[in-house]
Amino acid sequence: MNIKNYINGQFENPSSNSWIDNYNPSNGEVYGQIPNSSKEDVEQAYKAAKSAFPSWSQTTLEERSRILIKISELLEANLDRFAEAESKDNGKPVSLAKMVDIPRAASNFRFFGNAITQFASESHESVGQNAVNYTLRQPIGVVGCISPWNLPLYLFTWKIAPAIAAGNCVVAKPSEVTPMTAYLLGEICNEAGLPKGVLNIVHGLGTTTGQAIVEHPNIKAISFTGGTATGAHIAKVAAPMFKKLSLELGGKNPNIIFADCDYDDMLNTTVRSSFANQGQICLCGSRIFVEKTIYEKFKVDFVEKVKNLKVGHPSEKDTNIGALVSKLHLEKVKSYIEIAKEEGATILCGGEEVTVDGFENGYYLQPTVIEVKTDDCRVNQEEIFGPVVTIMPFKTEDNVLEMANKVKYGLSATLWTNNLKRTMRMSNQLQAGIVWVNTWMMRDLRTPFGGVKESGVGREGGFEALRFFTEAKNVCIKY
Ligand code: NDP
């Protein structure tokens, strides 16, 4: 199936008529093509967004809210179709896309449709000076949204929904590897009555299409989620134009387990936080630190559970682990298993490719647990972004805190303990944008989302996202 760009409410071929193959990771076959869009296509999308802006930015909040909520309802009504498309593009189990990805994408539109009607700004009376100050929150204009392949629609809409709710018009690019649900979203936006040009979706390569969005002098803000190296490159390109930037980047998140935790809950959640979505979630707890007194028991129990996970075709109901997103990514993840062996680590389970009957050319890998000797080895420091976790014991709170913070990333951290004082101490000191205690990936869309250090700059979520997609203007009136 060939997909097209969505520009000014129309589905368009790329101006160069150049196309890129789209692979199904579950069987390694090409199943369609996507536009290899050029600078000209980005310019066309920009022009559509620019002409839609005066009217959209003046559309009442109630009307914007109504349209966003309608998009959300239509996504829910098309759940099966979207979940199957997401799985075919990405390799994730259909059941996961149905339960998490698509419902969360729908929630993004519903949440920001409601949030915009509650987005208040401050005012200050300058006492004794006969003056009052108030703050206007004005949309920026045309903004760029660039998203990755791991949670395709979920992260794409996490940017688009607040951007348009705040009155901006958007030029967006999903990952070239997972374009399908973004393409289907165009149809839904038309059906929901989103005015033409408010959202424009241009497909293509990061280095050409994505780069053209970042380089565009009149696209004034870029919201980007992806790898740290790409984020650094985008920051360099955007800096001379003084663009507003939100960067959500890589992670190497610690999962810290104390002996006083609720063991069964911790064990089941740790399997999920290690391997959900084939471990391709920026929030996965890929470094597991376990208090020494329960380390040997944990090791046995965890490995047993991991060995029972079923690697299989994404459409089979009992599949826990589907296919990795691409051949290239599979090779990258496998290379880290070799690095672990060279570093003298022990592969406790997994480590091999899996051949799934009938889908021999798919990109399947066993869930892999690596016992590392030191925390500073490469597999414990670098983002692998696959079904691979490291485990090692720790003795004291200070010892584990130091190891947890000793990476260049700082996205999330998970802590398992029932000790309140320790919870408070560690939550304060962990270098991360998000700390989960006795849970993982529980999300409330009102909360700020983002990382510190090389995991990013800025926060998404709730009013933080609406603040990013608006400029604050102080008006001072003397009376
Ligand atoms: P990439 O950085 O490779 O790509 C992300 C997006 O940027 C894609 O749409 C890509 O296009 C595009 N892109 C690539 N080069 C450029 C460029 N020069 N200019 C503009 N756009 C460009 O990341 P991945 O897609 O590989 O995603 C995985 C990464 O994303 C991991 O590091 C993960 O941790 C991170 N991530 C972070 C999250 C967070 O919230 N902090 C959440 C989810 C993932 P194309 O695909 O066509 O190359």
Side-chain angles (χ1 to χ4, degrees):
M1 178 184 180
N2 279 11
I3 72 169
K4 297 186 175 192
N5 289 332
Y6 174 68
I7 297 177
N8 208 24
Q10 311 285 326
F11 292 94
E12 309 271 1
N13 288 334
S15 53
S16 61
N17 207 24
S18 157
W19 301 83
I20 305 164
D21 287 340
N22 190 15
Y23 287 82
N24 177 343
S26 75
N27 58 19
E29 286 169 14
V30 172
Y31 81 103
Q33 291 194 310
I34 75 159
N36 184 6
S37 303
S38 61
K39 235 179 172 163
E40 286 68 42
D41 300 302
V42 170
E43 184 59 26
Q44 201 192 334
Y46 165 74
K47 283 187 176 144
K50 185 178 173 226
S51 357
F53 180 69
S55 163
W56 182 246
S57 57
Q58 290 306 310
T59 299
T60 63
L61 300 185
E62 288 70 20
E63 177 63 1
R64 282 188 224 158
S65 171
R66 191 190 65 74
I67 295 173
L68 265 80
I69 291 169
K70 184 75 189 161
I71 296 174
S72 166
E73 288 167 356
L74 288 169
L75 275 173
E76 281 163 352
N78 285 277
L79 175 72
D80 289 353
R81 187 166 157 242
F82 272 78
E84 275 151 30
E86 198 76 302
S87 167
K88 200 168 178 181
D89 246 3
N90 171 279
K92 69 177 69 209
V94 176
S95 56
L96 182 73
K98 261 188 204 170
M99 209 165 57
V100 181
D101 292 72
I102 309 306
R104 286 198 179 192
S107 295
N108 289 340
F109 282 105
R110 177 169 288 109
F111 174 82
F112 285 107
N114 286 318
I116 193 62
T117 65
Q118 305 295 320
F119 184 42
S121 57
E122 59 201 304
S123 75
H124 304 278
E125 186 185 1
S126 301
V127 177
Q129 293 179 296
N130 284 354
V132 67
N133 284 274
Y134 65 91
T135 307
L136 286 176
R137 280 275 167 189
Q138 297 181 310
I140 296 168
V142 180
V143 300
C145 299
I146 301 175
S147 56
W149 49 258
N150 63 328
L151 307 170
L153 192 68
Y154 174 13
L155 292 177
F156 192 61
T157 55
W158 182 233
K159 300 177 178 308
I160 287 165
I164 63 180
N168 301 285
C169 295
V170 174
V171 177
K173 190 196 95 66
S175 170
E176 129 228 354
V177 195
T178 53
M180 187 52 97
T181 45
Y183 170 61
L184 298 177
L185 181 68
E187 285 175 17
I188 297 263
C189 288
N190 284 352
E191 202 180 332
L194 186 74
K196 289 178 180 174
V198 172
L199 172 63
N200 304 278
I201 303 170
V202 192
H203 297 274
L205 299 172
T207 45
T208 49
T209 318
Q211 179 89 11
I213 295 174
V214 179
E215 281 176 348
H216 198 292
N218 296 319
I219 297 180
K220 294 292 185 195
I222 303 287
S223 176
F224 169 82
T225 299
T228 292
T230 317
H233 171 77
I234 287 176
K236 227 185 258 175
V237 175
M241 290 175 274
F242 304 99
K243 292 192 185 205
K244 226 177 162 183
L245 280 187
S246 166
L247 302 174
E248 298 293 342
L249 310 175
K252 188 75 181 175
N253 311 303
N255 179 6
I256 303 168
I257 299 165
F258 283 92
D260 68 358
C261 69
D262 294 334
Y263 189 83
D264 290 345
D265 190 13
M266 173 280 293
L267 190 62
N268 290 327
T269 309
T270 294
V271 172
R272 203 164 53 84
S273 68
S274 303
F275 300 111
N277 204 42
Q278 296 69 249
Q280 303 166 141
I281 304 181
C282 52
L283 305 164
C284 277
S286 51
R287 291 182 295 150
I288 305 175
F289 297 103
V290 187
E291 192 166 8
K292 203 168 176 1
T293 51
I294 58 162
Y295 183 72
E296 290 304 323
K297 174 175 168 47
F298 172 82
K299 197 161 103 175
V300 172
D301 294 346
F302 183 58
V303 167
E304 189 191 320
K305 277 198 176 282
V306 174
K307 281 183 174 165
N308 282 333
L309 292 173
K310 187 188 159 200
V311 180
H313 190 269
S315 65
E316 283 169 13
K317 283 208 169 67
D318 58 346
T319 290
N320 302 113
I321 312 256
L324 269 68
V325 74
S326 66
K327 178 96 183 130
L328 194 69
H329 190 58
L330 173 69
E331 295 305 328
K332 178 196 148 183
V333 175
K334 274 172 40 191
S335 77
Y336 273 101
I337 295 168
E338 291 312 308
I339 290 169
K341 290 178 191 161
E342 283 159 22
E343 286 180 324
T346 309
I347 312 295
L348 296 177
C349 66
E352 301 292 333
E353 269 187 71
V354 178
T355 305
V356 173
D357 279 350
F359 307 98
E360 286 75 11
N361 294 323
Y363 317 132
Y364 300 94
L365 186 68
Q366 290 174 333
T368 304
V369 181
I370 303 173
E371 184 176 46
V372 290
K373 291 199 176 107
T374 63
D375 67 297
D376 50 11
C377 57
R378 281 185 65 191
V379 283
N380 213 44
Q381 290 287 320
E382 296 175 21
E383 187 183 44
I384 301 173
F385 214 58
V388 178
V389 286
T390 62
I391 68 169
M392 68 175 287
F394 68 86
K395 281 194 192 134
T396 65
E397 190 179 310
D398 286 347
N399 165 228
V400 74
L401 192 62
E402 190 195 335
M403 292 193 291
N405 286 340
K406 217 167 66 184
V407 289
K408 64 182 185 177
Y409 299 107
L411 189 54
S412 70
T414 304
L415 190 58
W416 290 94
T417 179
N418 278 309
N419 180 326
L420 179 62
K421 288 181 182 169
R422 173 189 288 144
T423 300
M424 302 304 288
R425 279 193 303 269
M426 291 203 60
S427 306
N428 282 344
Q429 292 178 75
L430 280 164
Q431 295 169 357
I434 304 152
V435 177
W436 278 296
V437 182
N438 299 330
T439 184
W440 175 73
M441 212 159 156
M442 186 183 259
R443 293 283 299 126
D444 179 326
L445 301 189
R446 292 168 299 183
T447 58
F449 179 90
V452 299
K453 304 199 289 190
E454 294 190 22
S455 288
V457 179
R459 291 293 179 272
E460 299 187 303
F463 293 145
E464 296 284 345
L466 296 175
R467 285 187 197 106
F468 174 75
F469 283 115
T470 51
E471 289 288 5
K473 181 189 281 176
N474 170 232
V475 180
C476 175
I477 303 176
K478 182 145 168 60
Y479 56 88

